[in-house]
Amino acid sequence: MTDDAPQNPASADETGEDPTPDTTVPEDVRTYDRFSKMDGARYERANEFLRDRTYITAREWAIARLCADFRTETGVEMTKIGKHLPELVPFMTDTYTPQAVNQARSAFEGKVRKAGATFLYGAMCDFFTAEDLDDVMYEATEVAKFLLEVEGVDLAFDDELAAEERISSTMREVRTQSAALRHDDLTCPHCGERFEPGESDDASD
């Protein structure tokens, strides 16, 4: 990583504004506005928010988003992302090498996989009640929606409700299938109702 490069004021007019675009910055970088809502935000603030609510850091969040957005048919444009990181993300002040970009992306992927395994085990091990899982999913969904909104995604209310319903339906199915794995007699340990392995648990416990 290197320090931020100073701006070249040679072409600035009397108002202090540059009358011509910086041709050294690619067009897709100049027009990228995913994190525009965070103009003026500091890395420490973004990182603290994420640390309190997720396993990922602000660095991993930003770079994972960029890797998804700057993906081509031949792969991720890691050199472009690293070189123009300060222009792409307001709270990132250093440039990154392609290796550092790849490392952050890998760290993000690894944490998502571990968090997913942890959550799924918690949902399957019968430690949480259905109501507990609903609370967990609600909190997780709210954090995820907030991050998406910060990135500039416009979430319609109807789409939010539909997504939450799909998630709830999936979690009910997970509870049904995990109960079948844990109990050979396929009897719910809470209510005594019998069910088949492929049966959907649409009713609340």
Side-chain angles (χ1 to χ4, degrees), residues 57-107:
T57 65
R59 176 182 78 111
E60 293 160 352
W61 169 43
I63 289 180
R65 178 71 267 165
L66 294 173
C67 285
D69 290 344
F70 287 86
R71 183 185 299 276
T72 67
E73 293 181 357
T74 57
V76 177
E77 297 179 289
M78 294 188 184
T79 299
K80 178 187 288 187
I81 291 171
K83 181 179 179 181
H84 298 289
L85 191 56
E87 289 104 347
L88 292 165
V89 184
F91 57 79
M92 299 299 292
T93 58
D94 293 333
T95 58
Y96 275 43
T97 65
Q99 292 78 10
V101 172
N102 186 51
Q103 181 185 41
R105 182 185 68 161
S106 296

Side-chain angles (χ1 to χ4, degrees), residues 11-24:
S11 60
D13 61 18
E14 293 180 356
T15 64
E17 297 179 351
D18 192 341
T20 58
D22 185 356
T23 57
T24 64

